[in-house]
Amino acid sequence: MKRIIKLLITLLILIINSPVPADDLILRGYDGVEIPSGTFIQVINLKEFSTEYCDETTEVSFMATNDTYMQEINIIPKGTVFYGMIESMHEPIIGTNASMVIKIVKMKLPDDFEIPMKGYIYSNNNNMLGGELTQPLIWRKAPHYQHGFGMGTLKYIPGEQRKMGEHLTVTSGADLLIVLTAPAWITHTLTN
């Protein structure tokens, strides 16, 4: 009986101290990694698009310029392509430039594995590119009185009329940011 117990303890010690194969250290499991919503991804535009000659069904594509890491895992490698479409577009009018909203629907890793995602091209104007106020068409003179002085000076202020808006064109190679609006599940990563 003592021999059996001694043999079991020896086997247990050998199993515990045995080296782990190197491939097992690289594996991270099959759970996937969640990229939280609100994450920014730096990209460049791959093909020029504009409000002048595109419509709301035009597909657009962007490429990641940097590796994106979460902990020690490269979840979005450099060269990942993001695909999307023009979700809404507004033509230029008097007083306002053209604008558009770009929705991102999937990303394609360099090994052609596709992962669905929800995001937009980021802009501080509620993710709308363009839509700025145009320059005034005319300038008016108005008196400007300073406190404590009896005399005033004339200054120019914008008039009521504005110039016609211009079309928005996003050139190829333009630096942009993607912001995720929903968590993205990364179920596949590259191992290099």
Side-chain angles (χ1 to χ4, degrees):
M1 187 65 154
K2 285 184 175 184
R3 280 182 141 185
I4 295 175
I5 293 175
K6 198 175 191 181
L7 181 64
L8 288 174
I9 292 174
T10 306
L11 285 175
L12 185 63
I13 290 172
L14 287 174
I15 291 172
I16 291 173
N17 291 333
S18 65
V20 178
D23 292 340
D24 290 344
L25 296 176
I26 296 172
L27 294 179
R28 63 170 171 76
Y30 299 100
D31 295 338
V33 177
E34 178 185 349
I35 304 175
S37 62
T39 301
F40 290 100
I41 303 165
Q42 189 173 2
V43 294
I44 60 170
N45 185 22
L46 293 179
K47 184 179 176 185
E48 179 179 285
F49 56 92
S50 173
T51 56
E52 190 171 6
Y53 51 83
C54 294
D55 59 8
E56 292 185 355
T57 60
T58 302
E59 294 183 1
V60 293
S61 57
F62 309 93
M63 183 181 287
T65 57
N66 297 324
D67 292 330
T68 303
Y69 286 88
M70 182 166 282
Q71 296 165 357
E72 295 178 357
I73 302 169
N74 185 0
I75 52 175
I76 302 175
K78 181 178 179 178
T80 300
V81 179
F82 296 87
Y83 294 96
M85 64 177 62
I86 299 175
E87 185 178 62
S88 66
M89 184 170 59
H90 303 285
E91 294 290 327
I93 58 173
I94 295 175
T96 307
N97 290 327
S99 63
M100 65 175 88
V101 176
I102 308 295
K103 182 178 183 177
I104 304 299
V105 293
K106 70 178 177 179
M107 70 178 188
K108 190 175 192 180
L109 298 172
D111 66 349
D112 292 336
F113 189 83
E114 294 182 0
I115 299 174
M117 63 184 305
K118 293 181 183 177
Y120 288 94
I121 295 296
Y122 175 75
S123 168
N124 56 5
N125 187 16
N126 200 18
N127 297 334
M128 181 185 304
L129 301 174
E132 301 91 5
L133 192 63
T134 60
Q135 292 293 322
L137 186 63
I138 57 170
W139 293 84
R140 294 184 303 127
K141 290 182 182 179
H144 175 70
Y145 298 103
Q146 296 178 359
H147 183 67
F149 297 104
M151 296 187 64
T153 58
L154 287 178
K155 68 175 188 174
Y156 286 95
I157 61 170
E160 295 81 22
Q161 298 177 343
R162 295 270 175 181
K163 293 181 180 178
M164 179 64 185
E166 297 177 358
H167 284 282
L168 172 66
T169 301
V170 180
T171 60
S172 61
D175 289 324
L176 301 167
L177 288 174
I178 293 176
V179 60
L180 297 182
T181 56
W185 284 95
I186 306 300
T187 57
H188 175 80
T189 58
L190 297 179
T191 54
N192 287 345

